[in-house]
């Protein structure tokens, strides 16, 4: 049924194939994956990554770059806000830690972004290892486009472009 060494798709994908057109004669795996460039009409998506922990910032930066995003790392909320105020940065998306030491928390940064005439259209994704219902609700009710629980996985980062697309079409 599947080529030697190939794993079958997950059950949800198998179910979808039964309700759609049959696979092409070349096989299910012959289709090229679609890229976000088709939908956004731009070569790069610039992600401002705000993380106070050096090792976490390096790991998430590597994951984002592997997903073909251009990463602008910021060590704290104040540095991130300075990047955002510089209109030459052309930030497409902000991925920020919720709880940061050093004065400007992720929630505070989110508030500044949402209240800024130009920056308010930039999607902000909050992330934290503290994923209590209260933390998630606070982020989303203050304007965050999404919340990611740490540890961040590459699969969660692959589709960040959809938030940029959504904002550009709303």
């Amino acid at each position: 049924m599947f080529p030697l060494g190939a794993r079958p798709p997950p059950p949800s994908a198998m179910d979808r194939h039964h309700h759609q057109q049959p696979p092409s004669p070349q096989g299910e795996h012959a289709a090229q994956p679609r890229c976000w460039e088709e939908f956004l009409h731009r070569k790069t998506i610039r992600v401002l990554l705000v993380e106070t922990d050096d090792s976490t910032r390096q790991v998430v930066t590597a994951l984002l770059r592997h997903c073909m995003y251009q990463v602008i790392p910021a060590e704290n909320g104040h540095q991130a806000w300075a990047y955002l105020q510089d209109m030459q940065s052309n930030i497409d998306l902000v991925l920020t830690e919720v709880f940061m030491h050093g004065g400007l928390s992720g929630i505070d940064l989110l508030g500044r972004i949402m209240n800024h005439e130009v920056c308010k259209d930039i999607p902000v994704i909050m992330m934290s290892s503290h994923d209590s219902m209260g933390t998630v609700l606070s982020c989303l009710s203050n304007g965050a486009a999404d919340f990611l629980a740490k540890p961040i996985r590459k699969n969660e980062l692959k589709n960040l472009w959809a938030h940029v697309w959504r904002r550009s079409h709303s």
Side-chain angles (χ1 to χ4, degrees), residues 92-93 121 123-125 145-146 159-168:
D92 296 306
L93 184 132
D121 293 327
V124 179
I125 313 296
D146 204 351
N159 293 322
L160 290 182
W161 66 268
H163 293 287
V164 177
W165 181 88
R166 223 175 269 127
R167 284 288 166 101
S168 69

Side-chain angles (χ1 to χ4, degrees), residues 26-144:
Q26 293 87 17
E28 292 181 51
H29 303 288
Q32 289 292 328
R34 295 183 75 172
C35 185
W36 51 264
E37 292 173 7
E38 293 179 51
F39 305 103
L40 287 175
H41 308 294
R42 61 176 80 178
K43 286 275 184 211
T44 60
I45 293 180
R46 295 172 55 93
V47 177
L48 176 60
L49 172 63
V50 192
E51 173 60 65
T52 55
D53 181 69
D54 289 335
S55 60
T56 303
R57 189 172 56 253
Q58 289 174 359
V59 168
V60 176
T61 294
L63 289 171
L64 285 165
R65 286 185 177 147
H66 192 265
C67 294
M68 306 309 288
Y69 298 109
Q70 184 176 355
V71 182
I72 298 95
E75 297 176 9
N76 56 54
H78 291 293
Q79 188 180 42
W81 184 241
Y83 280 127
L84 286 163
Q85 288 183 304
D86 175 14
M87 296 304 161
Q88 300 302 313
S89 297
N90 295 323
I91 303 297
D92 296 306
L93 184 132
V94 176
L95 178 59
T96 182
E97 167 62 50
V98 175
F99 303 105
M100 294 184 284
H101 54 277
L104 191 63
S105 73
I107 293 286
D108 294 335
L109 179 62
L110 175 64
R112 285 190 183 186
I113 292 169
M114 292 298 117
N115 290 314
H116 190 272
E117 192 58 36
V118 175
C119 295
K120 69 181 179 185
D121 293 327
I122 300 171
V124 179
I125 313 296
M126 308 298 284
M127 61 180 174
S128 181
S129 56
H130 307 285
D131 61 345
S132 69
M133 186 67 74
T135 300
V136 175
L137 188 58
S138 175
C139 293
L140 296 176
S141 64
N142 281 296

Side-chain angles (χ1 to χ4, degrees), residues 15-26:
D15 293 341
R16 278 182 266 149
H17 287 299
H18 290 287
H19 295 86
Q20 294 178 349
Q21 49 192 303
S24 67
Q26 293 87 17

